[in-house]
Amino acid sequence: MDRRRAWVAGTVLAALALYAIATPWLSGLDDRITDFAAARQGPSLSHWFGTDSAGRDLFVRSAAAIRTSLLIAAACALLATVIGSIVGAVAGVWGGHVDRVVMRSTDAINALPHLLLGIVIVAMFRGSLAAIVLSIALTHWTQVARIVRSEILGLRERPYIDAAILAGASRHHVVIRHIVPAVLPQALIAVVLLLPHAIWHESTLSFLGFGLPPHEPSLGTLLSEARSSLLLGGWWTLVFPAGILVLATVAVAVAGSALRSAVSPPTPSELQL
């Protein structure tokens, strides 16, 4: 069942990627060019997803939006994983007082409201793509740090780690030779599992007006623009971007769960739960 769901999720993601990359070239339309004579037209053979209040084709604009949102989410997930891996490695390798100070600091950051903290960071650099990526990464690395620390604490109990230390291997050698290769699969899983969170977080920031400028297509800006059109009966301006957002995040989450099961199969006790 897991393999079947993984194949379905992979197929959906491949279709979305093909749609996001190929649509602007095949259509020959620019998602930023306005045509007020064609504003608020419903779905038709000319405009499959209809048009928005500025007459822009939503099929093309949604393709550009999913491309932007996925790129931002990938950058956020990668940066959050790097930060979390470094923090978790410092806590797990050094241990003792360093571990306690680092993890209590991590708990303090994790206790802050993520969305509020993201809004504060983005509000200081309004419309900055780097600020959006940084705000999401800085509020999503704590779970990665816990996973990496837990993995390293488990590795430190392995006999071959003790053997390497007794043989005179330096801490640097043990980290590079044994710990980093063992933690990399968990870091890869963290990147994939963080993607849905990053997509929703970026969409929320843009929807609230703190993310990308309105003329820049992202799933959040399209949903934000849909609010005014929805009151005038333009249901398609909300349904198609929202459907793509849900489809993309569910597919990424399912693919991430399948990847985690493949890398870290559940134990017999977990299977009984």
Side-chain angles (χ1 to χ4, degrees):
M1 181 61 74
D2 284 344
R3 183 174 297 180
R4 184 185 303 172
R5 287 191 298 181
W7 273 106
V8 173
T11 303
V12 170
L13 288 176
L16 285 175
L18 182 64
Y19 162 60
I21 296 172
T23 297
W25 294 339
L26 295 178
S27 67
L29 299 175
D30 190 332
D31 63 89
R32 299 182 184 182
I33 294 179
T34 59
D35 181 9
F36 289 98
R40 293 196 181 93
Q41 292 187 3
S44 64
L45 292 178
S46 302
H47 304 287
W48 291 358
F49 287 0
T51 62
D52 62 9
S53 57
R56 294 169 294 200
D57 186 276
L58 276 177
F59 184 76
V60 178
R61 197 159 168 79
S62 296
I66 187 65
R67 187 171 64 246
T68 302
S69 294
L70 285 177
L71 287 175
I72 292 176
C76 296
L78 188 60
L79 182 58
T81 301
V82 170
I83 296 172
S85 298
I86 292 174
V87 174
V90 169
V93 171
W94 265 262
H97 293 298
V98 174
D99 182 24
R100 285 190 286 274
V101 171
V102 170
M103 295 317 297
R104 294 298 80 76
S105 302
T106 302
D107 291 340
I109 294 175
N110 195 42
L112 297 173
H114 291 177
L115 182 58
L116 181 60
L117 183 60
I119 289 175
V120 171
I121 296 174
V122 173
M124 293 189 294
F125 308 95
R126 200 69 175 266
S128 169
L129 183 60
I132 296 172
V133 172
L134 191 63
S135 70
I136 298 175
L138 288 178
T139 54
H140 286 77
W141 59 266
T142 54
Q143 295 302 321
V144 181
R146 292 181 178 283
I147 293 172
V148 171
R149 172 183 174 271
S150 175
E151 190 74 17
I152 292 176
L153 291 180
L155 286 172
R156 288 175 57 180
E157 303 298 327
R158 303 287 176 84
Y160 66 90
I161 298 292
D162 292 334
I165 295 174
L166 291 174
S170 65
R171 179 177 291 176
H172 178 265
H173 175 82
V174 171
V175 169
I176 298 298
R177 180 68 177 82
H178 300 291
I179 292 181
V180 171
V183 170
L184 275 180
Q186 299 296 332
L188 175 61
I189 295 172
V191 172
V192 178
L193 292 179
L194 279 173
L195 280 174
H197 295 276
I199 292 173
W200 277 98
H201 210 88
E202 183 277 326
S203 299
T204 303
L205 288 174
S206 297
F207 179 79
L208 295 174
F210 294 98
L212 294 174
H215 64 276
E216 292 287 348
S218 79
L219 293 175
T221 56
L222 292 191
L223 293 176
S224 180
E225 292 173 358
R227 286 183 296 184
S228 58
S229 297
L230 195 62
L231 297 175
L232 300 174
W235 56 267
W236 57 89
T237 60
L238 175 67
V239 168
F240 291 111
I244 291 174
L245 175 61
V246 173
L247 192 63
T249 50
V250 170
V252 172
V254 171
S257 297
L259 179 62
R260 180 171 57 183
S261 298
V263 174
S264 302
T267 62
S269 59
E270 289 174 333
L271 289 173
Q272 293 173 359
L273 294 175

